[in-house]
Amino acid sequence: MPEPIAAKAIRPLKGTRILSLALNLPGPAALMRCCDMGATCVKLEPPAPAGAPAGSSGDPMGLYNRKAYDQMHRGMRVLAADLKTEKGQQALHKELAKADVLLTSFRPSALRKLGLEWKALRKQYPQLSMVAIVGAPGERAEEPGHDLTYLAENGLVTGLDLPPTLYADMGGSLMTSEAVLQTRLHQHQKGKGVFLEVALSEAAAYLALPRSWGLTLPGSAVGGSHAGYRVYPCKDGRVALAALEPHFSKALAEAAGLRQSHPLAMFSPETHAAVAAFVAGKTRKQLDALATSKDIPLFTLA
């Protein structure tokens, strides 16, 4: 079998120049991926707020979490420019003249105020493509929103706990880097630029598809009804058990001393009780050893 090629060795965006005006998380995270794919990335961000320490960023992420900001901007050139001034506009158009793709995360009304409507840009820079990140598509692009509201809209917020990560933002960043690749293919095939919009609400909707299909709802196989696909307490922590396929379920049943005659037995209350009792009597170390010796997919947690 041939050795797989490392993703970074391909570098499909080598030779591509991307200018980003996108702030916070989705845009910079997408730019980080494009940089990893070989793109030459330049970011224009607002000047740091008045009174901020020397070296501060005008991107809010630089203030919220400098570690995340630094990681996302590694290997790219970051410039400060106030796009509402003549000097800032000059810096913007100097970079636009060299760019293949423009990345933004403003509402449409803000783009108009900055002179960055697609129709105007297309006339001035025929070869340029534009990827615009918005909260919601079409007429809803002016609505205020954030990761949490888009997740809630798509049924991905349960109870009062906050989601463990920013799913819509990170899903949107993946869609944005995909859109950059699409624009480059279009440029090579058609010889001209193209405008693509990425909506964070649609990224959340895409991540929610398994739930909308019923795959993860209560009562479904991966919604808690299958005894081999649940989170159980153990002696000194928890275990995420994912023995879903029949051969994994069989291995789990054998380890727990169950008589499993059919895969559907994993849905019975008796099997749930037996697996829970078996796991409760094991330590994390014992369960980790069981995973290795019996080929059972699980991960123990403190």
Side-chain angles (χ1 to χ4, degrees), residues 117-196:
E117 284 185 295
W118 172 240
K119 287 183 179 179
L121 283 177
R122 184 171 52 185
K123 288 181 180 178
Q124 195 167 357
Y125 306 104
Q127 301 304 313
L128 180 71
S129 286
M130 181 174 178
V131 177
I133 302 171
V134 295
E139 295 179 356
R140 293 186 58 204
E142 292 291 336
E143 292 180 9
H146 221 303
D147 185 279
L148 184 60
T149 59
Y150 303 133
L151 296 183
E153 177 184 335
N154 287 282
L156 296 177
V157 177
T158 57
L160 297 177
D161 290 335
L162 289 171
T165 190
L166 300 172
Y167 292 107
D169 283 355
M170 294 308 288
S173 77
L174 291 174
M175 287 186 167
T176 300
S177 59
E178 179 184 87
V180 170
L181 288 168
Q182 290 174 319
T183 66
R184 291 303 282 153
L185 281 173
H186 182 88
Q187 286 168 325
H188 289 312
Q189 292 170 355
K190 305 294 184 179
K192 58 183 179 180
V194 66
F195 173 85
L196 294 179

Side-chain angles (χ1 to χ4, degrees), residues 73-94:
H73 295 82
R74 187 178 60 241
M76 60 187 70
R77 190 159 57 103
V78 179
L79 307 172
D82 184 352
L83 302 184
K84 297 177 182 178
T85 67
E86 184 178 346
K87 185 178 179 181
Q89 283 287 316
Q90 289 173 353
L92 168 64
H93 285 276
K94 179 181 177 182

Side-chain angles (χ1 to χ4, degrees), residues 251-267:
L252 173 63
E254 290 175 352
L258 301 177
R259 290 185 176 181
Q260 188 195 39
S261 58
H262 192 276
L264 291 180
M266 296 302 290
F267 292 87

Side-chain angles (χ1 to χ4, degrees), residues 34-55:
C34 291
C35 188
D36 287 343
M37 287 189 278
T40 298
C41 300
V42 177
K43 183 187 176 194
L44 276 184
E45 59 184 38

